[in-house]
Amino acid sequence: MLEYTAENLENIRYIKAIWGEEKESVHWWNPYFVGIFANAGESTPKEISIENGEEFYIPMYDSAKLLLEAKILDQIGIEVEGDIIWSLVECNDENVKISSDNEIEISSDMLSGTTITIKAENADGTLTAEKTITLKAAMPGDTDGDNIITDIDILHIIESYGKTIDSENRLCDVDKNGTIDIIDLAYAARYKQIEEK
């Protein structure tokens, strides 16, 4: 009987056992398994991964609530259950707050370049992670809020051309002069061209 063991597998996800090779041998050994036994360790929270990117876009009008997202990961990178508590470490705008719903509200009057450092920690405070996020100006001509100017945005401006500005089409007023006209279309087309280079 042969017995194989493997140790120090703290960060290992999978183990593959191969018996014999068929490369140069006509008769290669293929044993029958009597049994395979493994002692699996318990999942232990090891780190917090903040999922938000490094930039938040400032809305052109009003404000936007952005959800803070993070995961608690175990020793092999699998997500485990657990509450995450958010806090603000540093921000050069005193109006920025984190709500009880784990959201940050970004208003249109905030300045591009403002930095926000957030911290996520698990309920017992044994794991923490920080990330610095920079506020970036919204892209003029982006009418659907995805921070990219595409043909869809251009089409939305064309469809809203000459119409009264309302909450549905106000992002089509690229120059914010109160009318949706050829100037807005030209601006959006130009920004799209620059972005594609």
Side-chain angles (χ1 to χ4, degrees), residues 66-130:
L66 305 172
L67 182 65
L68 299 176
E69 299 177 274
K71 295 177 181 177
I72 300 174
L73 305 176
D74 70 5
Q75 65 269 34
I76 58 171
I78 302 294
E79 184 177 1
V80 296
E81 294 276 327
D83 292 328
I84 293 176
I85 301 162
W86 291 93
S87 59
L88 210 54
V89 176
E90 187 178 350
C91 181
N92 50 7
D93 187 325
E94 60 186 28
N95 296 316
V96 175
K97 305 262 188 302
I98 297 175
S99 74
S100 58
D101 295 328
N102 301 330
E103 292 178 329
I104 284 186
E105 187 167 355
I106 307 297
S107 62
S108 59
D109 60 354
M110 291 180 174
L111 298 176
S112 181
T114 297
T115 57
I116 303 167
T117 302
I118 53 175
K119 180 168 82 170
E121 62 182 310
N122 62 346
D124 63 9
T126 55
L127 300 174
T128 63
E130 291 187 8

Side-chain angles (χ1 to χ4, degrees), residues 1-165:
M1 181 177 111
L2 294 175
E3 182 178 314
Y4 295 90
T5 61
E7 298 177 0
N8 300 319
L9 303 175
E10 184 175 342
N11 294 311
I12 303 299
R13 237 182 239 223
Y14 304 103
I15 300 173
K16 181 178 180 182
I18 300 173
W19 279 264
E21 293 186 9
E22 201 176 0
K23 290 179 183 173
E24 297 177 3
S25 176
V26 177
H27 304 290
W28 57 285
W29 182 53
N30 184 13
Y32 292 98
F33 288 113
V34 175
I36 297 177
F37 305 93
N39 294 320
E42 289 185 13
S43 178
T44 306
K46 285 289 187 182
E47 67 173 314
I48 294 177
S49 171
I50 297 176
E51 303 295 298
N52 299 94
E54 295 180 354
E55 295 176 337
F56 283 165
Y57 286 88
I58 302 168
M60 288 187 69
Y61 294 94
D62 305 327
S63 63
K65 291 182 179 179
L66 305 172
L67 182 65
L68 299 176
E69 299 177 274
K71 295 177 181 177
I72 300 174
L73 305 176
D74 70 5
Q75 65 269 34
I76 58 171
I78 302 294
E79 184 177 1
V80 296
E81 294 276 327
D83 292 328
I84 293 176
I85 301 162
W86 291 93
S87 59
L88 210 54
V89 176
E90 187 178 350
C91 181
N92 50 7
D93 187 325
E94 60 186 28
N95 296 316
V96 175
K97 305 262 188 302
I98 297 175
S99 74
S100 58
D101 295 328
N102 301 330
E103 292 178 329
I104 284 186
E105 187 167 355
I106 307 297
S107 62
S108 59
D109 60 354
M110 291 180 174
L111 298 176
S112 181
T114 297
T115 57
I116 303 167
T117 302
I118 53 175
K119 180 168 82 170
E121 62 182 310
N122 62 346
D124 63 9
T126 55
L127 300 174
T128 63
E130 291 187 8
K131 180 172 268 190
T132 298
I133 295 167
T134 303
L135 298 188
K136 191 173 177 181
M139 180 69 67
D142 169 30
T143 65
D144 57 9
D146 64 358
N147 301 308
I148 303 169
I149 301 175
T150 64
D151 291 338
I152 292 170
D153 299 305
I154 302 297
L155 184 60
H156 191 196
I157 295 171
I158 292 169
E159 290 171 347
S160 300
Y161 193 93
K163 291 183 179 176
T164 302
I165 294 176

